[in-house]
Amino acid sequence: MTLEELQEEIQPADQNVIRLSKERWMKVGKPLFSLGKLEQQITRIAGIKRIACYEIKKKALVVMCADNGVVAEGVTQTGQEVTAIVAENFSRHETSACLMAEVAGVDIYPVDIGMITDVKNVTRKNEKTAYGTKNFVKEPAMTREQLWQAIETGIRIAGEKKQEGYDILLTGEMGIGNTTTSSAVASVLLNRDPAVMTGKGAGLDDDGLKRKIHVIEDAIGRYNLRQSDVLTVMASVGGYDIAGLCGLCIGGALYHIPVVLDGFISGVAALCAVRLIPAVADYLIPSHVSKEPAAHYVLDELGLSPLITCDMCLGEGSGAVAVIPLLEMGLKVYGDMGTFEDIKVEQYKVL
């Protein structure tokens, strides 16, 4: 589908179902609004699914793995080979997010959308856009055609997971250098100074941070990104993981599946999706707020408030996985707890 077709096809969440869900919460035999944000998100998911009573049984964490050419500028502590190592560990269920997912009952689906090497049990030809992006200090990270291919891959994967019976999608990523690309994209889309929007990522020292900020500032000026559309910004300084997650968010909206955002990178991808198709915002569920300095700006722009604040900045989808048990507990109360009438208590009123 073209962008224009997607914009026409994707509609906001069902407000009538949201109203019915709110009415259900008012009848549940507990103090009104006492589960706070959990109630809000359970209701939002009802509107996404277009049914007031629902279950969340099958959960999939989609981890977009990609390499970024800008690593050549010394903006990271580690080299690109780490991306493939961690991606392979995903296939062996040996990453932090994998171990957390075992507790939360979440299935892991790693995607090689743009790593510089192929990884057995991860790389699939129909999902790989290219062998890493270009170094955006020297040339745009990717072409518009490559960008749209990666977005379409994310949309397609969302549709496949819907067909496989998944009730909710979680966003994850792995890619050395992707806090640089995300900070660059966020700086432009939120019209903020890169010095405010850029952090140390996975362990840069002060000199490395200065270099990272300079690289971003230089690229924004060189490509005149302050005056550019979203797709141009993404193609110029983005990454394939951002593009794939952007597509996953769009796919969630297209197929009526809630999409749980992880941290900074997936938040930037979601922001791109919403800028392309505003109705996508209704389908996004927050998890936590990353320690990356721009993370809270991105969530604010999306109109989302984090469910948990743990100072996490691990990535991989770990924050999205961590919030699943909370959502399930909220849903359990919503679906199974007796009403005021059932427990023979006078119904609370809003005063």
Side-chain angles (χ1 to χ4, degrees):
M1 299 177 72
T2 65
L3 177 58
E4 291 73 20
E5 290 170 334
L6 288 165
Q7 290 169 335
E8 184 174 346
E9 181 72 18
I10 292 173
Q11 300 298 315
D14 191 314
Q15 293 301 311
N16 184 55
V17 172
I18 288 175
R19 177 183 60 80
L20 293 174
S21 176
K22 289 180 178 179
E23 289 177 359
R24 163 64 188 171
W25 274 119
M26 294 295 289
K27 295 176 181 178
V28 171
K30 63 169 188 59
L32 300 179
F33 317 120
S34 54
L35 286 181
K37 294 179 183 179
L38 293 184
E39 295 187 29
Q40 297 168 13
Q41 298 308 321
I42 294 305
T43 290
R44 292 186 69 234
I45 294 173
I48 291 169
K49 290 181 169 294
R50 286 152 168 78
I51 182 170
C53 296
Y54 60 92
E55 295 180 306
I56 297 178
K57 290 186 175 180
K58 294 188 68 176
K59 299 149 283 189
L61 169 61
V62 180
V63 186
M64 296 290 183
C65 305
D67 280 303
N68 302 283
V70 72
V71 166
E73 301 301 319
V75 295
T76 62
Q77 187 182 88
T78 57
Q80 287 182 307
E81 69 278 358
V82 174
T83 304
I85 292 170
V86 177
E88 185 173 10
N89 287 341
F90 269 110
S91 70
R92 297 173 177 172
H93 300 281
E94 293 177 352
T95 72
S96 300
C98 288
L99 297 174
M100 295 170 68
E102 288 181 15
V103 177
V106 174
D107 297 331
I108 308 289
Y109 187 72
V111 177
D112 175 4
I113 197 162
M115 291 192 294
I116 59 172
T117 54
D118 292 336
V119 173
K120 185 179 180 181
N121 299 324
V122 176
T123 302
R124 290 169 284 270
K125 185 177 292 187
N126 69 325
E127 293 174 349
K128 188 164 190 144
T129 306
Y131 286 86
T133 59
K134 305 295 185 181
N135 180 356
F136 69 63
V137 167
K138 298 180 178 179
E139 57 186 309
M142 65 191 87
T143 65
R144 289 281 285 255
E145 291 74 21
Q146 289 171 321
L147 170 63
W148 191 251
Q149 180 183 338
I151 292 173
E152 285 186 319
T153 296
I155 297 172
R156 187 180 70 249
I157 289 171
E160 291 170 355
K161 295 305 162 193
K162 176 68 176 286
Q163 289 182 335
E164 292 168 12
Y166 283 95
D167 301 302
I168 195 165
L169 300 176
L170 290 66
T171 58
E173 41 64 38
M174 180 58 216
I176 300 303
N178 63 8
T179 61
T180 301
T181 56
S182 297
S183 295
V185 173
S187 294
V188 176
L189 297 188
L190 298 183
N191 194 28
R192 289 182 177 270
D193 189 335
V196 175
M197 302 294 282
T198 308
K200 293 185 176 181
L204 279 179
D205 59 18
D206 290 342
D207 288 339
L209 176 59
K210 291 177 182 177
R211 186 163 54 248
K212 185 176 178 180
I213 292 169
H214 173 74
V215 162
I216 294 170
E217 289 173 337
D218 184 68
I220 291 173
R222 180 185 304 111
Y223 302 123
N224 194 28
L225 296 184
R226 298 290 184 194
Q227 308 301 320
S228 299
D229 63 88
V230 178
L231 292 176
T232 298
V233 174
M234 295 174 72
S236 297
V237 295
Y240 291 125
D241 49 355
I242 296 173
L245 290 174
C246 173
L248 193 75
C249 293
I250 293 171
L254 182 64
Y255 298 110
H256 303 164
I257 313 172
V259 178
V260 181
L261 302 183
D262 182 35
F264 178 46
I265 287 89
S266 64
V268 171
L271 180 59
C272 292
V274 170
R275 290 292 178 88
L276 292 172
I277 307 171
V280 170
D282 282 2
Y283 296 81
L284 307 175
I285 306 298
S287 62
H288 74 127
V289 59
S290 167
K291 282 182 67 176
E292 281 294 302
H296 68 280
Y297 292 121
V298 173
L299 286 179
D300 288 347
E301 183 70 14
L302 290 170
L304 298 174
S305 179
L307 292 174
I308 54 178
T309 304
C310 296
D311 288 342
M312 295 169 62
C313 54
L314 173 64
E316 300 181 6
S318 53
V321 170
V323 84
I324 288 298
L326 283 175
L327 291 174
E328 291 181 318
M329 285 186 277
L331 184 58
K332 183 70 173 177
V333 173
Y334 173 78
D336 293 359
M337 189 167 180
T339 64
F340 286 106
E341 182 178 356
D342 293 333
I343 64 175
K344 295 180 173 52
V345 172
E346 184 178 353
Q347 183 163 338
Y348 286 15
K349 296 178 175 60
V350 179
L351 300 178

